[in-house]
Amino acid sequence: MSDVLQQLTAILAERRGADPESSYVASLHDKGLNKILEKVGEEATEVILAAKDAGKGGDRQALAAEVADLLFHNMVLLSHLDMSIDDVLAVLEQRFGTSGHEEKASRSAS
């Protein structure tokens, strides 16, 4: 895992139990799963809009910023469910060597 993801994982763990009045992460945890899911959905929509703009010659840095926001909020979601980005990376690693078509077929067969 990259140093940035390791650092972010540590910060999220530290802030999860912080005062919701002083920590955005703690406030998300305090508001519960539905609020976190709302933020993930909001950020996913913003990624889509930024990608459409970038695809038309727009600001690619704006797309990178929106993807960063989505990744951040997904990591908060994982933390809330006592998971981490390591769980996601393990799944991705398991998929190496498997074609996307094969992997998708294996999910629908289960």
Side-chain angles (χ1 to χ4, degrees):
M1 179 168 44
S2 81
D3 288 344
V4 171
L5 292 178
Q6 287 176 337
Q7 291 173 347
L8 183 54
T9 297
I11 290 167
L12 291 176
E14 174 187 311
R15 293 189 183 163
R16 181 175 179 174
D19 177 6
E21 295 294 319
S22 64
S23 167
Y24 176 68
V25 171
S27 72
L28 286 173
H29 284 291
D30 188 58
K31 291 174 184 171
L33 182 60
N34 284 342
K35 181 60 177 180
I36 296 168
L37 293 172
E38 180 183 308
K39 287 301 297 178
V40 169
E42 175 186 316
E43 297 302 339
T45 299
E46 291 175 6
V47 166
I48 291 166
L49 295 173
K52 285 179 143 305
D53 288 345
K56 296 176 186 173
D59 185 357
R60 298 171 71 85
Q61 187 60 34
L63 174 58
E66 294 300 344
V67 171
D69 290 346
L70 178 59
L71 179 57
F72 172 85
H73 285 90
N74 275 303
M75 289 180 69
V76 172
L77 170 63
L78 291 170
S79 171
H80 192 76
L81 297 173
D82 296 319
M83 297 176 67
S84 79
I85 194 69
D86 287 330
D87 297 303
V88 176
L89 295 174
V91 171
L92 290 172
E93 187 175 21
Q94 289 172 353
R95 292 180 182 175
F96 286 145
T98 304
S99 82
H101 294 300
E102 290 172 5
E103 192 282 325
K104 187 173 181 179
S106 73
R107 282 188 281 150
S108 59
S110 324

